[in-house]
Coordinates of all heavy atoms in Angstrom, one line a residue:
R33 N 158.5 230.7 269.1 CA 159.9 231.0 268.8 C 160.5 229.8 268.2 O 160.4 228.7 268.6 CB 160.5 231.3 270.1 CG 162.0 231.7 270.0 CD 162.5 232.4 271.2 NE 163.9 232.6 270.9 CZ 164.9 232.1 271.6 NH1 164.7 231.4 272.7 NH2 166.1 232.3 271.3
L35 N 163.7 227.7 267.3 CA 165.1 227.4 267.9 C 165.8 226.6 266.8 O 165.3 225.7 266.3 CB 165.0 226.7 269.2 CG 164.3 227.4 270.3 CD1 164.2 226.5 271.6 CD2 165.1 228.6 270.7
D38 N 171.2 223.6 266.6 CA 172.3 223.9 267.6 C 171.9 224.3 269.0 O 172.3 223.8 270.0 CB 173.2 224.9 267.0 CG 174.1 224.5 265.8 OD1 174.2 223.2 265.6 OD2 174.5 225.3 265.0
T39 N 170.9 225.2 269.0 CA 170.4 225.6 270.3 C 169.7 224.5 271.0 O 169.9 224.4 272.2 CB 169.4 226.8 270.1 OG1 170.1 227.9 269.4 CG2 168.9 227.3 271.4
L40 N 168.9 223.7 270.3 CA 168.2 222.6 271.0 C 169.2 221.6 271.5 O 169.0 221.1 272.6 CB 167.2 221.9 270.0 CG 166.0 222.8 269.6 CD1 165.2 222.1 268.5 CD2 165.2 223.1 270.8
V41 N 170.2 221.3 270.7 CA 171.3 220.4 271.2 C 172.0 220.9 272.5 O 172.2 220.2 273.5 CB 172.3 220.0 270.1 CG1 173.5 219.2 270.6 CG2 171.6 219.2 269.0
R42 N 172.4 222.2 272.4 CA 173.0 222.8 273.5 C 172.1 222.8 274.8 O 172.6 222.5 275.9 CB 173.4 224.2 273.1 CG 174.4 224.9 274.0 CD 175.0 226.2 273.5 NE 174.1 227.0 272.7 CZ 174.0 227.0 271.4 NH1 174.8 226.3 270.7 NH2 173.2 227.8 270.7
L43 N 170.8 223.1 274.6 CA 169.9 223.1 275.7 C 169.8 221.7 276.3 O 169.8 221.5 277.5 CB 168.5 223.6 275.3 CG 168.4 225.1 275.1 CD1 167.1 225.5 274.4 CD2 168.6 225.9 276.3
G44 N 169.8 220.7 275.5 CA 169.7 219.3 276.0 C 171.0 219.0 276.7 O 170.8 218.3 277.8
D46 N 172.9 221.0 278.4 CA 172.9 221.8 279.6 C 171.9 221.2 280.6 O 172.2 221.2 281.8 CB 172.6 223.2 279.3 CG 173.7 224.0 278.6 OD1 174.9 223.5 278.7 OD2 173.4 225.0 278.0
H51 N 173.1 222.2 284.6 CA 173.4 223.6 284.4 C 172.3 224.2 283.6 O 172.0 223.8 282.4 CB 174.7 223.7 283.7 CG 175.1 225.1 283.3 ND1 175.0 225.5 282.0 CD2 175.5 226.2 284.0 CE1 175.3 226.8 281.9 NE2 175.6 227.2 283.1
T52 N 171.6 225.3 284.0 CA 170.6 226.0 283.3 C 171.2 227.3 282.9 O 171.3 228.2 283.8 CB 169.3 226.1 284.1 OG1 169.0 224.8 284.6 CG2 168.2 226.7 283.3
P53 N 171.5 227.6 281.6 CA 171.9 228.9 281.2 C 170.8 229.9 281.2 O 169.6 229.5 281.1 CB 172.4 228.7 279.8 CG 171.6 227.5 279.3 CD 171.4 226.6 280.5
R54 N 171.1 231.1 281.4 CA 170.1 232.2 281.4 C 170.2 232.8 280.0 O 171.3 233.0 279.4 CB 170.5 233.3 282.4 CG 170.4 232.8 283.8 CD 170.8 233.9 284.8 NE 170.7 233.4 286.1 CZ 171.4 233.8 287.1 NH1 172.1 234.9 286.9 NH2 171.2 233.3 288.3
Q55 N 169.1 233.2 279.4 CA 169.1 233.8 278.1 C 168.9 235.3 278.3 O 168.0 235.7 279.0 CB 167.9 233.2 277.3 CG 168.0 233.7 275.9 CD 167.1 233.0 274.9 OE1 166.1 232.5 275.3 NE2 167.5 232.9 273.7
L56 N 169.7 236.1 277.6 CA 169.5 237.5 277.6 C 168.3 237.8 276.7 O 168.3 237.2 275.5 CB 170.8 238.2 277.1 CG 172.0 238.0 277.9 CD1 173.2 238.6 277.2 CD2 171.9 238.6 279.3
S57 N 167.4 238.5 277.1 CA 166.2 238.8 276.3 C 166.3 240.1 275.6 O 167.1 241.0 276.0 CB 165.0 238.8 277.3 OG 165.1 239.8 278.2
C68 N 169.7 236.0 267.7 CA 170.5 236.7 268.7 C 171.5 235.8 269.3 O 171.2 234.8 269.8 CB 169.5 237.2 269.7 SG 170.0 238.8 270.4
D69 N 172.8 236.2 269.3 CA 173.9 235.7 270.1 C 174.4 236.8 270.9 O 174.0 237.9 270.9 CB 175.0 235.2 269.1 CG 174.5 233.9 268.4 OD1 173.6 233.3 268.7 OD2 175.4 233.5 267.4
A70 N 175.4 236.5 271.8 CA 176.0 237.5 272.6 C 177.5 237.2 272.8 O 177.9 236.0 272.6 CB 175.3 237.5 274.0
V71 N 178.2 238.2 273.1 CA 179.6 238.0 273.4 C 179.9 238.7 274.8 O 179.4 239.8 274.9 CB 180.6 238.5 272.3 CG1 180.6 240.0 272.2 CG2 182.0 237.9 272.5
A72 N 180.5 238.0 275.6 CA 180.9 238.6 276.9 C 182.3 239.1 276.9 O 183.2 238.4 276.3 CB 180.8 237.5 278.0
W99 N 177.8 242.0 278.4 CA 177.3 241.1 277.4 C 176.7 242.0 276.3 O 175.8 242.8 276.5 CB 176.2 240.2 278.0 CG 176.7 239.3 279.0 CD1 176.9 239.5 280.3 CD2 177.3 238.0 278.8 NE1 177.4 238.5 281.0 CE2 177.6 237.5 280.0 CE3 177.4 237.2 277.6 CZ2 178.2 236.2 280.2 CZ3 177.9 235.9 277.8 CH2 178.3 235.5 279.1
L101 N 174.7 242.1 272.6 CA 173.9 241.3 271.8 C 174.4 241.5 270.3 O 174.6 242.7 269.9 CB 172.4 241.8 271.8 CG 171.8 241.4 273.1 CD1 170.2 241.7 273.1 CD2 172.0 240.0 273.6
H117 N 183.9 235.6 275.6 CA 183.2 234.4 275.5 C 182.0 234.6 274.6 O 181.2 235.5 274.8 CB 182.7 233.9 276.9 CG 181.9 232.7 276.8 ND1 182.4 231.5 276.8 CD2 180.5 232.6 276.9 CE1 181.4 230.6 276.7 NE2 180.3 231.2 276.8
Y118 N 182.0 233.8 273.6 CA 180.9 233.8 272.6 C 179.7 232.9 273.1 O 180.0 231.8 273.4 CB 181.3 233.4 271.2 CG 180.3 233.8 270.1 CD1 180.3 235.1 269.6 CD2 179.3 232.9 269.7 CE1 179.4 235.4 268.7 CE2 178.4 233.2 268.8 CZ 178.4 234.5 268.2 OH 177.5 234.9 267.3
A119 N 178.5 233.4 273.1 CA 177.4 232.6 273.6 C 176.3 232.6 272.5 O 175.6 233.6 272.3 CB 176.9 233.3 274.9
R120 N 176.2 231.5 271.9 CA 175.1 231.3 270.8 C 173.7 231.3 271.6 O 173.6 230.8 272.6 CB 175.4 229.9 270.2 CG 176.5 229.9 269.3 CD 176.7 228.5 268.7 NE 177.9 228.5 267.9 CZ 178.0 228.5 266.5 NH1 176.8 228.5 265.9 NH2 179.1 228.5 265.9
G121 N 172.8 231.9 270.9 CA 171.5 232.0 271.4 C 171.4 233.0 272.6 O 170.3 233.0 273.2
A122 N 172.4 233.7 272.8 CA 172.5 234.7 273.9 C 172.2 233.9 275.3 O 171.6 234.4 276.2 CB 171.6 235.9 273.7
L123 N 172.7 232.6 275.3 CA 172.5 231.8 276.5 C 173.8 232.1 277.3 O 174.9 231.7 277.0 CB 172.4 230.4 276.2 CG 171.1 230.0 275.4 CD1 171.2 228.6 274.9 CD2 169.9 230.2 276.3
V124 N 173.6 232.7 278.5 CA 174.7 233.1 279.4 C 175.0 231.9 280.4 O 174.2 231.5 281.1 CB 174.3 234.3 280.2 CG1 175.4 234.7 281.2 CG2 174.0 235.5 279.3
P125 N 176.2 231.3 280.2 CA 176.5 230.2 281.1 C 176.6 230.7 282.6 O 177.1 231.8 282.9 CB 177.9 229.8 280.7 CG 178.1 230.4 279.4 CD 177.3 231.6 279.3
E126 N 176.0 229.9 283.5 CA 175.9 230.2 284.9 C 177.3 230.5 285.5 O 177.4 231.4 286.3 CB 175.2 229.1 285.6 CG 174.6 229.5 287.0 CD 173.8 228.4 287.5 OE1 172.6 228.2 287.1 OE2 174.3 227.7 288.4
L128 N 179.7 232.0 284.2 CA 180.2 233.3 283.8 C 179.5 234.5 284.4 O 179.8 235.7 284.1 CB 180.2 233.4 282.3 CG 181.3 232.7 281.5 CD1 181.2 233.0 280.0 CD2 182.7 232.9 282.1
T129 N 178.4 234.2 285.3 CA 177.7 235.4 285.8 C 177.8 235.5 287.3 O 178.1 234.5 288.0 CB 176.2 235.2 285.4 OG1 175.6 234.1 286.1 CG2 175.9 235.2 284.0
P133 N 172.5 239.3 284.7 CA 172.9 240.5 283.9 C 171.8 241.5 283.8 O 170.6 241.1 283.5 CB 173.4 239.9 282.6 CG 173.7 238.5 282.9 CD 172.7 238.1 284.0

Side-chain angles (χ1 to χ4, degrees):
R33 180 164 177 242
L35 297 176
D38 287 339
T39 300
L40 292 171
V41 168
R42 192 170 36 262
L43 286 171
D46 289 337
H51 171 256
T52 306
R54 296 178 180 156
Q55 186 170 32
L56 298 174
S57 60
C68 215
D69 288 349
V71 71
W99 296 87
L101 291 188
H117 175 81
Y118 193 86
R120 291 178 184 253
L123 295 170
V124 177
E126 202 171 284
L128 286 183
T129 63

